[in-house]
Structure formats: C-alpha cells, structure tokens
Amino acid sequence: MVYRRTQQVVKRLAARRQAILAAAREAAAEGGMAAVQIAPVAQRAHVAAGTVYRYFPSKADLIAELIAEVTRVELQAIRRAADAAPGPSSALAAAVTTVAVHVLSHRKLAWGILAEPVDVDVSASRLMSRREIAGELELRIAAAVRAGHLPAQDTALAATALLGALHEALVGPLATDDLNDPARMRDAVQTVTLLALRAVGVMDARARGLVVQAVMPARTLLGA
Amino acid sequence: MVYRRTQQVVKRLAARRQAILAAAREAAAEGGMAAVQIAPVAQRAHVAAGTVYRYFPSKADLIAELIAEVTRVELQAIRRAADAAPGPSSALAAAVTTVAVHVLSHRKLAWGILAEPVDVDVSASRLMSRREIAGELELRIAAAVRAGHLPAQDTALAATALLGALHEALVGPLATDDLNDPARMRDAVQTVTLLALRAVGVMDARARGLVVQAVMPARTLLGA
DNA sequence: AGCCGCCCTGAATAGGTGTTCAGCTTTTTC
DNA sequence: GAAAAAGCTGAACACCTATTCAGGGCGGCT
C-alpha cells in the first residue's frame, strides 16, 4: 500500500533535477539570465514546463540554486589556486588571476550571475555570491597586509573594488569580441591582475613579477 | 487655416517634456530603473499615460534620453574638475574623485543607469554612457602616461577597470547604509581614489598626497 | 496480473506592463 | 464666435511569462 521510492526512481529524480539545473546553466551561458525562462529550460532538459515546478518551488529558487552552484565552484578554484601559492602576495595574485580567467572563460554566464538585470527575488542570491567571492579576495589581501607586504587598508572595500574592476574590464559592456582571442585574453588577464595588485599597494616592479608567476598555471586554460 | 504652434504652446510642450524626463529621473533615483514605468512616471509628471507617447516613441527612448542627460552632466563635471587641476596626475585624481562623489550622491540613480538590469533596448544607451565616462577617464590616464607620471599601459582597459572598481565599491550590492553617513562617504571616496591611483601606477606616497588634494574641492558636496 | 498513487504533461490561467486609440478638451485661426 | 487642428485622456488591448492543475501514464506494491 505504502508507495516508496525505489532506488532507481530516486536516482532518476536526482538526475532530472540536475538536468534542469544544467539546462538553466546552459541557457544562462548562451543568452544571459534573460534566457533562463521556464519553458525553454524545460525543453532543453527534456521535460514539460510543469515538471520544473516539481523540483523547484519557483523560478527564483531555480536561479538561486544555479548561482549558488556556480559560486561554489568559483570559490573552490580560488582557494585551490591561492593555497598553492608560495606566499601571501602570490596567493593574492593567484586569486585575482583565477577570477579573471574564469570570468573570461564563461563571460555570459558570469555576466548573468553577477550583473545582469533580474527580478528582485534573485538579487539576494546574487548579493551573497558577490559577498562570498569578495570575501575570499579579502582574506588574501588581509593576509598580505598582515605579512607586511601591503600597507594597512580597508580590506573589504579593496576586495570589492577589485572584484568590480575585474568584472567591468572583462565581462562588462567593454568585452568586445577581441577578448575571444586567446592571446588577447592572456594580455587582458595580465593587465587586470597587474592593476589589481598595484591598487592594493604592491610596488610596480614586484607586481609585474607576481603577475607572470600567477598567469603561468592558467596557461592551459588560456589556450597558450 | 494653418495651425501654428504659438510661442506659449511651444513652451508648454517643452516644459511637459522636461517634466516627464524629470519624473523618470526621480523614479529612477528612488526605485531604480525598475521603477521607471510609464504609468507611475506619467502620474508623477501630472499627465496621462498616453501623453508620454506624444513625447517619446517608446519607453526605451525615454530611458535612453534619461541616460544621455545624466551622462552629459556627469561628463561636464568630470571635465570641469580635471581641467581645474594643476597637472596630469592631479587631473586624474580629480576625475576619479568626481565620479566617486557623484555616484555616491545619487546611488540609486547611478545604479539604475549603469548596472541595473533592463531590457536589451536600453543596453545600447547604457553602453554608450559607460564608454563615454570611461573614455573621459582614459584621456586623463593617457595624459599622465605621456607626462611620464605613469608607466605605459593599456589605457582603455585601465579606465574601464577603474570605472568598475568605483561602481562596485560605491554603488554595488556592497553599499550598505553606512555609506549614507557623510564621514564614511568621504572615507570611501578617499579609499577608492587611492586604490584607483595606485592601480594605474602612482606610487603609494604620491597617491596619498593627490587624494587629499582631490577630495578638498568636493568637501562641500560631502557635507564636511 | 491488477490496483494504487506518484510523476509528468502541456494547455489554460493569471498578473503585470507597454502601447494604442476613439473621444474629449484646448488652442488657433478667420 | 465657430470651425479646424492639435493635444490630452485613460480605459481597453496586446503580449509575454511564470505558475497551476486536471488528466494520462508509468512504477511499485501485493
């Protein structure tokens, strides 16, 4: 009498949920958040529109989860890169470069998640995403300050400003097509990283050295 | 037989057009672009919804003109501040500070014009606005480079990054209420200006001096 | 096999906002 | 003062999407 989900069904449900999320991510990557509409996403995930609502209470929840997922991956990447660096300054450079490279690699998606216009419902998720990533940058700035590599400063504001500089320079309305060229991408990443490091107080010469070091691990990602 | 607009009517039409634009600006300043809806704007301007369409072909056109107007004012302010500065570095500092102060003073409006989500129709206007303001910053950066005050660099990218840093730090989701306090506002403007100057290669010590100089003229605006 | 209930479907619903237009008011001209 | 044209009104329309729900079908239980 009692209906119980068999293991097989549980698996299928989970897979379907993932499919919907993936479809949403793809849509966002192709056309920005505006393209994340229930009907198209459902079609892409091979389910009916109504089915989406069996997995997510509302579109806002779907997007919130999408943002959270992308943010989680991003944070992991930043931490991995920074933790592998030999010192605080290198860690900061690595963190900045990581953000820059990721953002460049998934321009539209990043734009949608970080800046594109949306309903107020999702702004909270987006806010948290920004806060988390900025927070991660702040950690590295603070560590460098503690180590005496940087002058004392408002680390929170600095981290936010850095994030803004990265986004605007790499995904904002600027981002003309020439940023699709791997060589230009690397140039842009280097330039922006250099700006960021100098902004928080790294001396020009030292910053240039750090940039070269930081960009090396990202070489493959940048197709060089 | 031929109906001709009398001077009085011409005046009234112009006034009404301005009233509609002003209403749109107020709405944007209060609730962001999302609040710029035809019906509310019309009501605020004391006209009927349909009347708006006698002055602007569409909502997108109305917003485009709003953006253009605000941008024009902003550009003037930047130029005035920069041209009054004694040298290229000071001019750059003045330009950055001006943007920072303006953006802080009209947070919501700036957000709406520069970053808030909107339909694609207005994105072109917004793009141009950003380009123009970034271009103005770029001029000052390039001048400082030519004068030998800054290292050679990709001035366009630098200007864009600076603009992004300013926006994100001052109007972005960060902007908690504490930025409404005049003292904090001044601190934030100084901090961000300092970051910006260092980013493009001004040495820390010199940058601090420039910041103090640049913030002085803005004292009144910041209520100190 | 056969019943029961969950899951899925997709067309219909609902709500919100830009845009239109037939009728009314104001202004101009003679 | 009256006709004609322009301007204004605001309710109706149009469109776009998120969300719902009655009904079909498949999966799990005995």
Side-chain angles (χ1 to χ4, degrees):
Chain A
M1 203 61 46
V2 213
Y3 176 94
R4 306 197 46 180
R5 282 175 178 166
T6 214
Q7 195 55 27
Q8 181 189 18
V9 173
V10 170
K11 231 175 197 166
R12 191 194 57 192
L13 292 184
R16 206 154 252 193
R17 183 188 173 83
Q18 277 313 112
I20 294 171
L21 263 178
R25 189 171 51 241
E26 287 166 22
E30 285 177 19
M33 280 300 178
V36 183
Q37 292 171 5
I38 298 297
V41 166
Q43 189 177 4
R44 199 188 280 259
H46 303 297
V47 297
T51 304
V52 173
Y53 286 86
R54 297 194 61 76
Y55 293 87
F56 301 92
S58 74
K59 182 187 166 185
D61 290 273
L62 169 60
I63 292 184
E65 196 148 334
L66 169 60
I67 291 180
E69 189 190 37
V70 173
T71 302
R72 202 180 321 127
V73 171
E74 184 69 13
L75 285 178
Q76 280 178 354
I78 296 175
R79 287 185 188 129
R80 201 175 333 126
D83 292 344
S89 294
S90 293
L92 175 58
V96 170
T97 300
T98 302
V99 173
V101 170
H102 276 228
V103 143
L104 259 184
S105 307
H106 314 286
R107 202 107 42 96
K108 270 263 176 67
L109 182 57
W111 163 251
I113 285 184
L114 291 153
E116 197 189 354
V118 270
D119 317 307
V120 237
D121 309 315
V122 308
S123 55
S125 319
R126 174 181 287 179
L127 173 54
M128 190 178 312
S129 170
R130 284 175 111 113
R131 281 240 174 91
E132 287 183 5
I133 295 183
E136 204 60 33
L137 288 180
E138 185 181 356
L139 285 182
R140 315 302 169 177
I141 296 175
V145 169
R146 274 199 308 276
H149 295 190
L150 297 182
Q153 57 193 292
D154 181 338
T155 53
L157 199 59
T160 308
L162 255 51
L163 195 56
L166 291 176
H167 290 163
E168 183 76 24
L170 300 177
V171 315
L174 149 158
T176 34
D177 345 279
D178 53 341
L179 273 182
N180 288 322
D181 174 42
R184 297 224 180 222
M185 276 176 64
R186 205 177 49 208
D187 279 356
V189 168
Q190 289 194 347
T191 302
V192 171
T193 305
L194 180 62
L195 283 166
L197 291 177
R198 285 195 306 220
V200 293
V202 180
M203 297 273 281
D204 187 62
R206 172 143 176 70
R208 289 176 193 269
L210 289 171
V211 167
V212 172
Q213 247 186 323
V215 172
M216 256 191 301
R219 191 173 293 268
T220 50
L221 261 174
L222 291 171
Chain B
M1 204 58 46
V2 213
Y3 176 96
R4 305 197 47 181
R5 282 177 178 166
T6 212
Q7 195 56 28
Q8 178 191 20
V9 173
V10 169
K11 231 176 196 166
R12 192 193 57 191
L13 292 183
R16 205 155 252 193
R17 185 188 172 84
Q18 277 313 112
I20 293 172
L21 263 178
R25 188 171 53 241
E26 286 165 23
E30 285 176 18
M33 280 300 179
V36 183
Q37 293 171 6
I38 298 297
V41 166
Q43 189 177 3
R44 200 187 280 259
H46 303 297
V47 297
T51 304
V52 173
Y53 286 85
R54 296 191 61 76
Y55 293 88
F56 301 93
S58 73
K59 182 186 165 184
D61 290 273
L62 169 59
I63 292 184
E65 195 148 334
L66 169 59
I67 291 180
E69 189 189 38
V70 173
T71 302
R72 202 179 323 125
V73 172
E74 183 69 15
L75 285 178
Q76 281 178 354
I78 296 174
R79 287 184 189 129
R80 201 176 333 127
D83 291 344
S89 295
S90 292
L92 175 57
V96 170
T97 300
T98 301
V99 173
V101 169
H102 276 227
V103 143
L104 260 184
S105 307
H106 314 286
R107 200 109 42 96
K108 269 264 177 64
L109 181 58
W111 164 250
I113 286 183
L114 290 154
E116 197 189 354
V118 271
D119 318 307
V120 238
D121 310 314
V122 308
S123 55
S125 320
R126 173 181 288 178
L127 173 54
M128 190 179 312
S129 170
R130 285 175 110 112
R131 282 239 173 91
E132 287 183 4
I133 294 183
E136 203 61 33
L137 289 179
E138 185 181 356
L139 284 182
R140 314 302 169 176
I141 296 175
V145 169
R146 273 199 309 277
H149 295 190
L150 297 182
Q153 58 193 291
D154 181 338
T155 53
L157 199 59
T160 309
L162 255 49
L163 195 55
L166 290 177
H167 290 162
E168 183 77 23
L170 300 177
V171 315
L174 148 159
T176 35
D177 345 279
D178 52 342
L179 273 182
N180 290 321
D181 174 42
R184 297 224 179 222
M185 277 175 64
R186 206 177 50 206
D187 278 356
V189 169
Q190 290 194 347
T191 302
V192 171
T193 306
L194 180 62
L195 282 166
L197 292 177
R198 286 195 307 220
V200 293
V202 179
M203 297 276 278
D204 187 63
R206 173 146 175 67
R208 288 175 194 269
L210 289 170
V211 167
V212 172
Q213 248 187 322
V215 172
M216 255 189 305
R219 192 173 293 267
T220 49
L221 260 174
L222 290 170

